[in-house]
């Protein structure tokens, strides 16, 4: 039974056949041609030539199975299609067809049975369209969808699944199974809130997520989720709203990632970093402390050294102080004993002086009496005296005079020694003292025919030469030296008195008394300045002199800041040198 009445309807239209032919000829995108009842090609069009590659002459009369791949022909497909079109009036198919050059194309084919007025099948109209382009697009879409599905299904690291608009799980993938522990058949159809902890469900958080995603298109969250076995994991969740072309909400895509390990790793890294920082800080503090303690130790050592030094110093100071105290005490003792000694000495000296003064006085009184009565007798006031008796009286008088001199000198020396002598030191013209002294010894000198030479500069540096001296004492020393020179120089000798005005290096003037006398043995040169020392005499053999002259003279010289020294050669003479300070 024909279901498509188009050919018969067309035949009723007052349109010439030629018009149809032109129409068919002009259509480029469709191959439109006619087959006879057995399927042999009767007509050919430009669109058919373009589509299938055959020229009209090549294909007219051939069976239409030429357009089918050999395997389809072998399977009887072309025959089946023709049969179906004959039976039902129309057959539609999509499938691979073959061009003249052997290449294939995806074709949409409609085969329509053609009947004559009597309803007898006369042939078929075949319209073929090349759907290769369209098919490849659809195919590509399908493949990409399939690939995507496969991808989603096999992704292990993410739970990727769909929720329906109410939040029930619609799809499931391997990652979701791995992460959440449910198999697809266990979870599909259940509400996604099973993945949330109870407290979050109580807060209405899952619903809130969906609302936000629906409203804003997307919702992202990180938080605790629950696995099938009840254990928790830290998840990153992204929920995306899915809408169709009209904008109606069709569901949600949910991607969940398990960050437990990452979170643990991060935590661990954080802990590690904190630990390292703490350790570094502790090390740094430790180093600081070590440094500090080192410094403290050094300071302590330094302080200890300083303390020891201070201790040593204080000990030394103490010792020094002790020594000083001892020295002071000793000095004090010495001073005290010296003072005591001096007092004792002064006392003794005073006693001695007193004694000697008394003694001299006591001795001088009878000596004066002796002299007086001897002279009374010598003057024969008591009666005549024989010449021999005169001689004796003379001896008595001489002895009395010697004794008187001795007593005077002893008294003088005693007073000198006790410090009782006072000096009136003043610039003194040396020449005067020398001349006076020389005059006093002149009788004895002349008696022995001894010459005296005085060498004295009258004027020194424009003024008379002065020394600092007590004139009487200076004169006494010079008399002693000159009289000794006369005494110990034989007849016809010579005495020289020389004033050395050129000061020596101590600024002292020198007075030299030289003689050509007997001289003094070297071993006696110092002794003659001791009291009662006389060369070649003993106290038992009385004679001239007392042995006190030089002792007194040196004491006087030293008392005036000068000195008395001697140089001598036995048998040749002596030189006595008196030094005194020069008067400026
Ligand atoms: P004195 O002359 O009274 O004996 P001195 O003290 O003056 O006492 O002299 C001591 C002694 O020194 C003398 O006895 C004498 O031996 C000796 N002496 C002094 N002057 C001379 C001198 N110029 N030449 C030799 N001997 C001297």
């Amino acid at each position: 039974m024909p279901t498509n009445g188009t050919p018969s309807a067309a035949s009723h239209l007052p349109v010439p056949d030629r018009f149809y032919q032109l129409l068919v000829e002009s259509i480029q995108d469709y191959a439109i041609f006619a087959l006879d009842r057995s399927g042999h090609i009767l007509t050919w069009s430009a669109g058919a030539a373009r589509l299938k590659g055959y020229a009209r002459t090549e294909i007219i009369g051939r069976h239409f199975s030429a357009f089918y791949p050999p395997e389809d022909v072998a399977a009887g497909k072309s025959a089946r299609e023709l049969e179906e079109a004959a039976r039902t009036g129309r057959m539609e198919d999509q499938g691979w067809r073959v061009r003249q050059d052997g290449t294939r194309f995806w074709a949409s084919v409609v085969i329509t049975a053609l009947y004559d007025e009597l309803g007898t099948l006369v042939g078929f109209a075949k319209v073929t369209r090349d759907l290769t382009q369209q098919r490849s697009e659809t195919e590509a879409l399908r493949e990409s969808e399939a690939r995507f599905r496969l991808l989603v299904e096999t992704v292990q690291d993410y739970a990727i699944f769909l929720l329906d608009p109410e939040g029930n799980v619609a799809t499931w993938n391997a990652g979701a199974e791995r992460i959440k522990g449910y198999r697809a058949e266990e979870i599909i159809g259940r509400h996604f809130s099973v993945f949330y902890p109870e407290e979050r469900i109580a807060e209405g958080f899952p619903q809130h997520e969906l609302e936000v995603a629906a409203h804003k298109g997307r919702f992202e969250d990180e938080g605790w989720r629950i696995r099938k076995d009840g254990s928790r994991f830290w998840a990153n969740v992204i929920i995306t709203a899915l809408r169709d072309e009209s904008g109606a909400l069709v569901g949600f895509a949910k991607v969940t990632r398990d960050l437990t390990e990452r979170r643990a790793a991060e935590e661990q890294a954080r802990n590690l970093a904190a630990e390292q920082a703490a350790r570094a800080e502790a090390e740094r503090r430790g180093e600081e402390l070590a440094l500090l303690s080192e410094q403290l130790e050094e300071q302590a050592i330094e302080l200890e050294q300083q303390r020891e030094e201070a201790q040593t110093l204080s000990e030394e100071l103490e010792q020094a102080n002790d020594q000083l105290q001892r020295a002071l005490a000793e000095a004090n003792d010495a001073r005290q004993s010296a003072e005591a000694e001096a007092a004792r000495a002064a006392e003794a000296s005073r006693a001695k002086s007193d004694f000697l003064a008394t003694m001299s006085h006591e001795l001088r009184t009878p000596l004066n009496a002796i002299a007086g009565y001897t002279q009374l007798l010598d003057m024969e006031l008591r009666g005549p005296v024989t010449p021999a008796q005169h001689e004796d009286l003379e001896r008595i008088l001489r002895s009395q005079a010697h004794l008187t001199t001795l007593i005077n000198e002893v008294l003088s020396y005693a007073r000198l020694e006790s410090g009782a002598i006072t000096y009136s030191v003043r610039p003194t013209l040396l020449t005067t003292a020398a001349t006076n002294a020389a005059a006093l010894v002149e009788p004895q000198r002349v008696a022995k025919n001894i010459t005296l030479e005085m060498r004295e500069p009258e004027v020194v540096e424009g003024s008379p030469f002065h020394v600092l001296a007590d004139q009487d004492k200076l004169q006494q020393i010079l008399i002693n030296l000159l009289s000794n020179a006369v005494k110990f120089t034989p007849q016809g000798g010579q005495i020289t008195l020389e004033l050395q005005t050129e000061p020596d290096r101590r600024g002292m003037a020198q007075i030299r008394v030289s003689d050509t006398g007997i001289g003094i043995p070297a071993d006696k040169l110092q002794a003659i300045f001791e009291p009662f020392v006389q060369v070649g005499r003993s106290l038992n053999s009385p004679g001239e002199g007392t042995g006190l002259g030089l002792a007194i003279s040196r004491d006087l010289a030293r008392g005036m800041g000068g000195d008395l020294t001697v140089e001598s050669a036995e048998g040749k003479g002596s030189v006595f040198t008196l030094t005194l300070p020069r008067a400026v």
Side-chain angles (χ1 to χ4, degrees):
M1 275 289 284
T3 54
N4 190 329
T6 306
S8 48
S11 61
H12 296 295
L13 287 173
V15 176
D17 289 346
R18 180 70 192 139
F19 181 81
Y20 286 109
Q21 196 175 341
L22 281 173
L23 181 71
V24 169
E25 275 296 308
S26 66
I27 291 171
Q28 292 281 327
D29 295 328
Y30 294 84
I32 303 172
F33 53 93
L35 306 177
D36 64 14
R37 282 187 299 183
S38 58
H40 290 93
I41 297 156
L42 294 175
T43 67
W44 201 239
S45 70
R50 199 181 65 82
L51 209 69
K52 308 207 184 231
Y54 291 97
R56 178 184 296 269
T57 50
E58 285 174 318
I59 200 66
I60 297 285
R62 286 184 63 184
H63 193 262
F64 85 104
S65 60
F67 305 136
Y68 285 77
E71 63 272 16
D72 283 359
V73 178
K77 186 178 178 185
S78 51
R80 236 186 356 263
E81 285 187 355
L82 209 59
E83 231 171 79
E84 189 186 334
R87 190 162 36 85
T88 62
R90 190 172 178 277
M91 195 289 309
E92 214 178 314
D93 174 44
Q94 282 195 1
W96 290 112
R97 295 294 181 271
V98 180
R99 294 194 188 90
Q100 190 225 14
D101 61 6
T103 58
R104 297 186 176 202
F105 67 98
W106 188 259
S108 156
V109 178
V110 178
I111 301 174
T112 311
L114 300 175
Y115 303 92
D116 63 11
E117 294 84 22
L118 298 172
T120 310
L121 179 72
V122 290
F124 301 92
K126 190 173 181 212
V127 177
T128 303
R129 191 176 161 203
D130 184 353
L131 291 180
T132 307
Q133 181 70 21
Q134 197 186 334
R135 181 190 147 80
S136 68
E137 278 166 10
T138 318
E139 193 76 353
L141 185 64
R142 218 180 45 236
E143 272 175 24
S144 111
E145 277 173 355
R147 268 202 305 275
F148 183 67
R149 197 176 302 114
L150 191 70
L151 182 76
V152 168
E153 278 169 2
T154 55
V155 160
Q156 294 277 337
D157 294 332
Y158 294 85
I160 303 172
F161 52 96
L162 297 176
L163 303 177
D164 65 19
E166 283 71 46
N168 298 309
V169 177
T171 69
W172 202 240
N173 78 335
E177 182 174 338
R178 192 184 69 79
I179 293 173
K180 306 204 188 230
Y182 296 96
R183 287 199 313 281
E185 61 269 28
E186 290 174 324
I187 195 67
I188 286 177
R190 289 181 66 183
H191 196 264
F192 83 113
S193 59
V194 296
F195 307 135
Y196 289 77
E198 269 174 30
E199 66 271 16
R200 304 243 72 181
I201 299 170
E203 285 166 18
F205 186 72
Q207 199 52 41
H208 167 74
E209 280 189 321
L210 293 189
E211 279 162 17
V212 172
H215 184 64
K216 294 191 169 171
R218 188 170 182 279
F219 180 87
E220 181 163 2
D221 175 47
E222 254 185 43
W224 290 111
R225 296 292 183 274
I226 306 289
R227 296 196 185 91
K228 182 188 168 189
D229 64 6
S231 60
R232 291 186 173 209
F233 66 98
W234 184 261
N236 171 273
V237 177
I238 298 173
I239 299 177
T240 310
L242 302 177
R243 290 177 189 278
D244 63 14
E245 293 101 61
S246 67
L249 185 71
V250 295
F252 301 93
K254 190 167 182 233
V255 179
T256 302
R257 196 173 165 201
D258 183 355
L259 295 183
T260 309
E261 275 174 26
R262 200 182 79 181
R263 188 179 149 89
E266 277 173 4
E267 188 102 325
Q268 206 175 348
R270 261 201 307 279
N271 289 345
L272 203 67
E275 216 170 277
Q276 272 172 355
R279 198 166 32 240
E281 175 65 12
E283 265 169 35
R284 198 183 60 73
R285 289 292 300 275
E287 275 167 22
E288 260 178 24
L289 278 175
L291 195 70
L292 205 65
S293 103
E294 237 169 69
Q295 285 173 349
L296 280 175
E297 224 163 273
E298 276 170 21
Q299 280 176 4
I301 290 170
E302 227 169 86
L303 278 175
E304 177 62 16
Q305 279 173 357
Q306 284 175 0
R307 199 191 58 72
E308 277 172 17
E309 278 168 24
Q311 171 103 21
T312 312
L313 205 65
S314 108
E315 279 171 11
E316 280 173 7
L317 275 173
E318 219 163 281
Q319 281 175 5
N321 189 40
D322 283 354
Q323 283 174 358
L324 191 65
Q325 292 300 334
R326 273 202 299 278
L328 278 175
E330 276 169 24
N332 206 34
D333 287 353
R335 190 180 54 75
Q336 280 176 358
S337 58
E339 275 171 8
E341 187 59 38
R344 266 199 305 281
E347 183 56 34
S349 177
R350 205 166 30 253
K352 196 168 76 186
S353 298
D354 290 352
F355 167 73
L356 286 172
T358 312
M359 272 290 288
S360 324
H361 181 72
E362 292 304 317
L363 288 170
R364 261 193 299 219
T365 309
L367 278 173
N368 286 339
I370 291 167
Y373 284 107
T374 306
Q375 282 165 347
L376 201 71
L377 291 174
D378 200 34
M379 288 162 74
E380 296 183 7
L381 293 177
R382 301 291 184 195
V385 176
T386 65
Q389 284 172 330
H390 274 299
E391 257 176 58
D392 291 342
L393 289 172
E394 198 63 31
R395 286 195 187 99
I396 289 167
L397 273 178
R398 275 209 304 278
S399 287
Q400 185 275 343
H402 179 69
L403 203 54
T404 303
T405 309
L406 182 64
I407 283 165
N408 283 339
E409 288 194 354
V410 165
L411 183 61
S412 167
Y413 183 69
R415 287 173 64 217
L416 256 180
E417 287 293 295
S418 69
I421 295 292
T422 54
Y423 299 86
S424 63
V425 173
R426 60 173 65 89
T428 302
L429 202 54
L430 194 54
T431 329
T432 314
T435 312
N436 290 348
L440 280 169
V441 299
E442 195 169 354
Q444 296 93 316
R445 179 176 65 79
V446 171
K448 288 179 79 172
N449 195 24
I450 293 168
T451 57
L452 171 68
E453 188 189 347
M454 296 263 283
R455 293 184 198 162
E456 43 171 337
E458 276 295 329
V459 170
V460 178
E461 290 165 12
S463 64
F465 185 70
H466 289 84
V467 289
L468 277 180
D470 179 318
Q471 185 169 333
D472 290 346
K473 310 249 171 359
L474 170 59
Q475 208 163 297
Q476 191 182 339
I477 297 166
L478 290 177
I479 291 165
N480 181 239
L481 294 178
L482 286 171
S483 68
N484 276 352
V486 171
K487 245 193 300 191
F488 301 106
T489 301
Q491 289 278 335
Q494 193 190 334
I495 298 169
T496 308
L497 200 157
E498 190 185 352
L499 306 181
Q500 185 117 13
T501 55
E502 204 56 43
D504 69 2
R505 51 180 202 295
R506 289 169 300 152
M508 306 291 270
Q510 291 185 347
I511 303 102
R512 291 157 169 271
V513 178
S514 327
D515 62 56
T516 55
I518 60 171
I520 303 151
D523 64 335
K524 289 285 191 287
L525 279 177
Q526 292 308 313
I528 55 169
F529 292 103
E530 300 298 325
F532 306 114
V533 173
Q534 293 175 305
V535 178
R537 288 197 195 177
S538 72
L539 283 172
N540 298 332
S541 55
E544 281 189 79
T546 60
L548 280 167
L550 288 177
I552 290 170
S553 292
R554 193 172 67 171
D555 276 358
L556 288 174
R558 288 180 175 174
M560 293 186 291
D563 204 358
L564 181 61
T565 56
V566 67
E567 292 163 83
S568 180
E570 242 185 319
K572 293 204 172 156
S574 309
V575 180
F576 284 86
T577 303
L578 167 68
T579 57
L580 284 171
R582 252 193 84 175
V584 180

